[in-house]
Amino acid sequence: MDSRLPLDTRATVLMLVFCLVLGMQQITIKATADDISPVLQIALRSGISALLVGLFMQLRGTRLTFSDGSWKAGLLAGALFATEYLLMGESLRHTSASHVVIFMYTAPLFAALGLHFTVASERLAPLQWLGILLAFGGIAIAFLGSATQTDQPDVLSMLWGDTLALLAGAAWGMTTVILRTTRLSRLPATHTLMYQLVVAFVVLMIFAIWQGQTTFNPTPEVWASLAFQSVVVSFASLLLWFWLLQHYLASRLGAFSFLTPLFGAAFGAWLLNEPIEPRFLLGALFVLTGIVLVSGYTTVQQALAYLKHRAGPKTT
C-alpha cells in the first residue's frame, strides 16, 4: 500500500520556497548568458553540486550502493535529467526566459500522465483530464502567439527555443515517473540526486566542449549566478524535491508548482525587461489552469465541495 501523504502544512511551505527558487533559475542563467554559456553553466553547477552531495553523504556516513541493481534506474534518471537541462540550456539561447519557464513547468502534466498508467494511487480523475486538455490547448495558443510575432526577425528561433523548453518539461516529467516507479523510490534522496548530477555533469560538459559552448568570463555576476545555481538550485532545492517525492504523492506536489512559472515570468519581465505577448499570456493562463486541475486536484475538489455546501438549500 502506498504510504505517501497528501500535502500538509510543512509540504506546502517547502513547495512555496522550492517554486520561488526555481522561478529564478532560468532568469540568472539567461542574465549571464553573454559571459558564460548556458550549457556550460549548468554542467559546472551539476559538478559542484555533485561534490556537495558527496560531502553531505560522507558527513552522514552513507555511500552509493550498486548491489541492489538500483544503479540501472539511476543512470536512466540521470540521462533524463541531463536531457532536461541540455534542452533547457539550448532553449535559453533561442527564446526568452519567460517562455522557457512556462513551457518547462508543464512537467507535472507529463508526470501525471505517466503515473496514471503506472501507479494505481495516482490515476487521473475526469477533472484532471480536463486540466490536461486545457493545458495542452494553452500550449497550442502560446505557440501560435509566438508564431504571429511577425515584427521579430527571429520568430523561427523563438519557436525552436519554445519547443526545446517544452521537451525539457517532458523529460522532467518522465524523470519523476522513473523516481516513483523504480527502486530509486526506496533510496535516500542524496543517492538519487548523485546519480543525476554526475550523469548531467559528464553529458553536458561533453556537449559544451563538442559544440564550442565554453565561453566563461569570470565577472562577479557570473560567480554569483554559479553559486546560486550550484548551492541553492542544484543542491539544496533538488535535494528537497526528491525528499518530497519520497514522502508525498507526486501528483499532489504540483498543487503549488504553478507558482514557479508565474514567478519566472514575473522575474523575466521585471529583471530582464522581457515582453510578454498577449496571446502567449492567454496560453500561459490555460496551461497554469490545467496544472492546477491536474496537480491540485484534491484541493480543487475540496474547494468545489465547500462551495456546493455553501450554495445548498437553506432551511427557514
Side-chain angles (χ1 to χ4, degrees):
M1 184 177 179
D2 199 326
S3 61
R4 288 174 176 81
L5 305 171
L7 293 184
D8 53 21
T9 302
R10 177 177 63 174
T12 299
V13 172
L14 291 176
M15 277 300 298
L16 285 173
V17 174
F18 178 72
C19 292
L20 180 62
V21 168
L22 290 192
M24 281 295 295
Q25 178 182 192
Q26 290 83 3
I27 308 304
T28 57
I29 294 176
K30 183 76 173 182
T32 56
D34 290 339
D35 292 312
I36 179 170
S37 302
V39 172
L40 178 63
Q41 181 168 182
I42 299 170
L44 291 175
R45 83 171 190 188
S46 298
I48 295 170
S49 299
L51 293 175
L52 292 174
V53 173
L55 178 60
F56 183 70
M57 292 172 65
Q58 287 291 326
L59 293 174
R60 299 187 64 182
T62 60
R63 62 178 60 185
L64 287 176
T65 178
F66 303 97
S67 58
D68 62 352
S70 60
W71 62 271
K72 298 176 184 178
L75 290 180
L76 177 57
L80 285 169
F81 185 80
T83 300
E84 171 197 341
Y85 281 102
L86 175 59
L87 292 169
M88 186 190 84
E90 285 295 284
S91 68
L92 284 169
R93 297 176 59 231
H94 298 279
T95 191
S96 68
S98 301
H99 281 214
V100 172
V101 74
I102 291 293
F103 287 120
M104 264 200 71
Y105 287 92
T106 56
L109 305 175
F110 292 106
L113 282 173
L115 291 169
H116 171 80
F117 296 105
T118 54
V119 180
S121 62
E122 306 238 25
R123 299 289 175 135
L124 293 171
L127 189 61
Q128 291 174 299
W129 282 112
L130 174 61
I132 294 285
L133 293 175
L134 283 174
F136 283 104
I139 290 170
I141 294 173
F143 268 94
L144 183 61
S146 297
T148 56
Q149 300 301 305
T150 55
D151 59 320
Q152 298 184 23
D154 55 348
V155 171
L156 290 179
S157 179
M158 175 176 285
L159 287 172
W160 176 241
D162 290 350
T163 301
L164 292 177
L166 182 62
L167 292 175
W172 184 3
M174 291 305 99
T175 303
T176 300
V177 175
I178 295 299
L179 295 178
R180 284 284 285 106
T181 59
T182 66
R183 294 178 179 178
L184 295 177
S185 64
R186 298 187 292 273
L187 292 182
T190 49
H191 292 53
T192 302
L193 184 55
M194 179 62 85
Y195 279 122
Q196 295 178 87
L197 290 173
V198 170
V199 175
F201 170 71
V202 173
V203 171
L204 296 179
M205 186 60 73
I206 291 174
F207 181 86
I209 295 173
W210 174 46
Q211 291 292 310
Q213 297 183 28
T214 54
T215 301
F216 186 91
N217 181 23
T219 64
E221 291 79 12
V222 165
W223 287 118
S225 176
L226 193 56
F228 172 73
Q229 295 286 336
S230 303
V231 179
V232 180
V233 174
S234 204
F235 173 62
S237 294
L238 289 181
L239 201 61
L240 170 63
W241 171 246
F242 296 128
W243 180 85
L244 287 168
L245 280 177
Q246 288 183 325
H247 293 84
Y248 296 92
L249 293 173
S251 62
R252 306 298 184 264
L253 285 174
F256 294 93
S257 64
F258 71 95
L259 290 175
T260 298
L262 285 179
F263 289 146
F267 288 145
W270 175 35
L271 300 175
L272 301 180
N273 295 316
E274 294 180 343
I276 300 179
E277 307 89 355
R279 192 167 296 185
F280 175 80
L281 180 59
L282 176 62
L285 289 175
F286 272 81
V287 171
L288 296 179
T289 301
I291 292 174
V292 171
L293 291 177
V294 172
S295 299
Y297 172 69
T298 301
T299 302
V300 172
Q301 194 178 40
Q302 291 173 348
L304 291 176
Y306 174 76
L307 292 175
K308 183 178 179 181
H309 174 73
R310 289 292 302 271
K314 298 181 180 180
T315 59
T316 58

